[in-house]
Amino acid sequence: MEEATRSTTSVQSESRMFNGVEKDCPSPTEKLARKESLKVQKQNYRQEKKRAAKELSSALKDPSVVIMSNWLKIRGYLKGWTKLWCALKPGVLLIYKTPKTDHWVGTILLNACKLIERPSKKDGFCFKLYHPLDKSIWAVKGPKGENVGSITQPLPSNYLIFRATSESDGRCWMDALELALSCSSLYKLTAKTGKEGDISISESPQILHLLQSSPLTDTELQELHEASLLCNHHMEHDAFSDKSERETHDDWDTSANDNGGRLTEESDIEQLDEMPPAPQATAYVEQSAEEMAEAGEASQVETVSDENKGLIWGLLKQLRPGMDLSKVVLPTFILEPRSFLDKLSDYYYHADLLSQAALEDSAYGRIKQVLRWYLSGFYKKPKGLKKPYNPILGETFRCCWLHPQTDSCTFYIAEQVSHHPPISAFYVCNRKDGFCISGSILAKSKFYGNSLSAILEGKARLLFMSREEEYVITMPYAHCKGILYGTMTLELGGKITIECEKTKCLAELEFKLKPFLGGSGSVNQVSGKIFLGEELMATVDGHWDSEVFIQERRSGQQETLWNPTPDIRSRRLKRQVVQLDQQGEFESERLWQHVTRAIMERDQVKATQEKFVLEDAQRQGARERGDKAWIPQLFQLDPITSEWTYRHMDTRPWDPEVCLVQFEKDRVIQTHEKSLRQPNGISFSHNWASQRKAQVNGKHRKASSQPSTCSQNTESSGSTPEPAHESSDNEDFSNQCARCSKEKNDFALIEASITSIQKTQQDIQKNLVTLSRQLSHQRATEDSLSLTGRHCLILCVLLLSQLLLNYVFT
């Protein structure tokens, strides 16, 4: 019996040894401790999952956590290119339709991707993200939990081909993507430090990026890479859960870096691009500083020193009352250190008021908003009695203002088109917000003994493009008094009008000079009325450099129309200018730089000398031209209206389906648009085509919930394309299904029919216009002629012929 017991114990011991467990049976206390330990482990497991999800969500949703963002062309299954906004974040590449990130298209998971440089015969730089095992590279949901993204052409599931506008931009994207691929825990770093701006790069709006931003340099990317690797050693947890996965990831990076981190792929035959190359716009920077006086009479008073009084008396000896001062050389101490072309731009620091006016539904609401904008251009003024430079013939000036609310830009271009008489032409445009302003100013100066006036003759025409409404605007004059005796003071005076012929709206304003016995409250007064047709709608009263009130005639209520409070001044638009070294020789700031520097250094002798050099060069140029007329570079004289207009004016309403962004290059304001050409050479309405495409994609989504190469946005995958294997490097049309081919042919037939109908309508319209002109001309010439016998004979023959034809055919 004892031997049997020993045998059983020995077998159990051997069994435990064979199983690798040399342990006695656990007691109830040990079981309870093990259960508690497992509970703690599960709790830690859930916390780790939440932490990882929170870190990734923070990296996805935080707008400050962006490694790089810009427009890229992305190639679809049908070899068509779509321009989409790509935002590279740690671990993911987010794709949107616009920079506002409202319309999500798809999310690429970079930890499953390889990066390849892809040679191309066309302009730009191509690269490719792909999965080596032909697995999907797309995330199932969007950054905000979206299930379905914006409708675009079908995109491949296991790869994407990108095209940058230039090789430098493409190299920057390659470096940034390699950084995101190699740093597995970069999203943790950015989630913790992104808000502090340590290594994250903010995503800028499209227009701001076009005007003043540039891609990350190799040095900046290397610093970002080193910073992420340095902080990676201090992380408590790695993105990979075990050692084997880390080793696999390291091996993957090593194999990728054997060829310098980039592989190559044979080029294929490129198809027609849907999107034109990105524009090469002028680089603008925010203006650093500007001089602006406070409101009130004190800022408009100049105390002349004894030294300068002698210069004024010497100047006054040459003048006679009523004399035009345009040919008189003024002393430099009364000059404001900027050109008159620059000063005319003071009216557009609140151009966002015009953006709001274009959205007003009622005509009365629009003219009120236009009047508010008009008043916003006067409070910005220098301290004392200052006069800007008289522009040199051919001088130009350009600047712009960014609109953060609408992600648009207001561009300003001005040129001195005539010297005798001095005429300054200007053009302001913001097509996206729907307004432009064109005009010219003839500056005249009159001397009256103890005072002089600067009269600005001319009109500005404000056009709301989508409404085809034009507002004609005039300007007040500047009056300086106290030259011989008293205090030298500068004021505004005269009556101005803002009139729209289409809506019959009229605003009248009167700028009042200070009366002889008036107090400080009577300085800078303005009053006016607003009419809608013959009806008086409101009255306006106040001070043009401070608060202006409007009183409605119907309701009797009074409200503030305009008040440049410190808060309003701080929220005005920021002006962007061109750097001095990038300006042309005849641009204002560069042309007058030596005079401006001397004035700022209070060296009046040197300022006078530098000013004389410019004026003498202008006189020499006039002698060389002789009787030959000066031809402006940017503006032309309209022979019908006798007004100066911008040569590159574009007053078409903004079409968001076609227009991408407005920009300026070489003083030419232009719009970057989508190319509407199709591979079959047929042009059609993009809006109609997009609606049709949306309907087709919608039918595909409803037809089946299974993966399909024709539909990208399914219920199961959101905007993620379903797997479709790449048959060769050329990626030909073998993936296109028969239904897509049939619908493409149907599109072509419909487009051809629409094109033919549109052409016929245009021909009919032209013929009607020609006939109308001929009839009007014939009527004008025949009004003075009597009906002769010959005419009567011809009419009788025609009537008989008509009767004969009716008899034969009836």
Side-chain angles (χ1 to χ4, degrees), residues 436-447:
C436 68
I437 302 174
S438 179
S440 58
I441 296 295
L442 170 59
K444 293 183 178 180
S445 300
K446 294 292 184 180
F447 177 63

Side-chain angles (χ1 to χ4, degrees), residues 565-800:
T565 60
D567 181 56
I568 294 294
R569 297 188 184 197
S570 64
R571 288 190 285 112
R572 66 183 187 154
L573 303 180
K574 305 298 183 182
R575 192 172 80 161
Q576 311 286 322
V577 296
V578 182
Q579 290 183 347
L580 188 64
D581 58 347
Q582 299 181 10
Q583 294 181 14
E585 293 182 1
F586 273 81
E587 291 198 55
S588 296
E589 187 179 3
R590 182 174 178 180
L591 185 67
W592 295 92
Q593 59 177 324
H594 301 298
V595 182
T596 301
R597 186 181 300 112
I599 292 177
M600 300 302 292
E601 294 174 355
R602 299 181 183 276
D603 189 347
Q604 302 300 331
V605 176
K606 185 177 180 180
T608 303
Q609 293 174 350
E610 296 292 346
K611 184 170 177 286
F612 175 78
V613 171
L614 294 177
E615 293 168 344
D616 187 62
Q618 184 171 224
R619 287 189 287 267
Q620 179 64 27
R623 286 192 295 267
E624 293 176 356
R625 285 193 306 272
D627 297 334
K628 192 175 181 180
W630 171 264
I631 301 177
Q633 179 185 2
L634 304 175
F635 291 82
Q636 59 188 0
L637 186 63
D638 192 327
I640 300 176
T641 61
S642 298
E643 295 182 358
W644 291 93
T645 58
Y646 185 58
R647 293 181 183 273
H648 311 284
M649 182 184 299
D650 188 355
T651 59
R652 296 174 298 162
W654 184 269
D655 185 358
E657 296 293 335
V658 177
C659 304
L660 297 176
V661 64
Q662 190 178 27
F663 66 101
E664 178 270 324
K665 179 64 176 177
D666 297 329
R667 292 171 290 280
V668 177
I669 302 174
Q670 49 195 305
T671 303
H672 184 50
E673 298 180 349
K674 298 179 182 178
S675 175
L676 299 182
R677 296 174 298 163
Q678 297 299 308
N680 56 9
I682 298 175
S683 177
F684 61 99
S685 171
H686 185 84
N687 188 25
W688 177 87
S690 62
Q691 293 176 0
R692 176 64 178 167
K693 185 184 293 184
Q695 294 174 2
V696 172
N697 289 338
K699 291 179 181 179
H700 287 178
R701 288 199 303 272
K702 294 179 181 178
S704 173
S705 60
Q706 300 301 322
S708 171
T709 59
C710 303
S711 175
Q712 175 183 345
N713 302 317
T714 60
E715 184 179 356
S716 60
S717 63
S719 68
T720 307
E722 295 299 325
H725 296 284
E726 185 178 359
S727 58
S728 67
D729 289 338
N730 291 330
E731 288 124 8
D732 56 9
F733 287 101
S734 60
N735 292 325
Q736 180 181 357
C737 63
R739 181 168 52 182
C740 293
S741 301
K742 182 177 181 300
E743 290 177 351
K744 183 179 178 182
N745 294 332
D746 293 341
F747 282 150
L749 293 175
I750 295 173
E751 293 156 9
S753 302
I754 292 175
T755 304
S756 177
I757 292 172
Q758 289 177 346
K759 185 176 180 181
T760 304
Q761 289 177 343
Q762 292 175 358
D763 293 339
I764 293 174
Q765 185 68 22
K766 290 179 180 178
N767 293 334
L768 288 174
V769 172
T770 304
L771 289 173
S772 176
R773 290 177 179 175
Q774 292 177 354
L775 287 174
S776 60
H777 180 70
Q778 184 177 357
R779 287 171 182 171
T781 56
E782 290 181 352
D783 285 342
S784 60
L785 298 177
S786 60
L787 198 61
T788 63
R790 183 180 179 183
H791 294 155
C792 294
L793 180 60
I794 293 174
L795 287 175
C796 292
V797 172
L798 291 175
L799 289 174
L800 289 174

Side-chain angles (χ1 to χ4, degrees), residues 91 108-114 129-138 158 181 249 252:
I108 299 178
L109 302 176
L110 296 177
N111 61 349
C113 293
K114 291 283 284 182
L129 282 173
Y130 78 105
H131 194 291
L133 300 179
D134 289 341
K135 297 296 183 181
S136 177
I137 62 176
W138 299 89
N158 58 330
L181 288 170
H249 179 74
W252 193 342

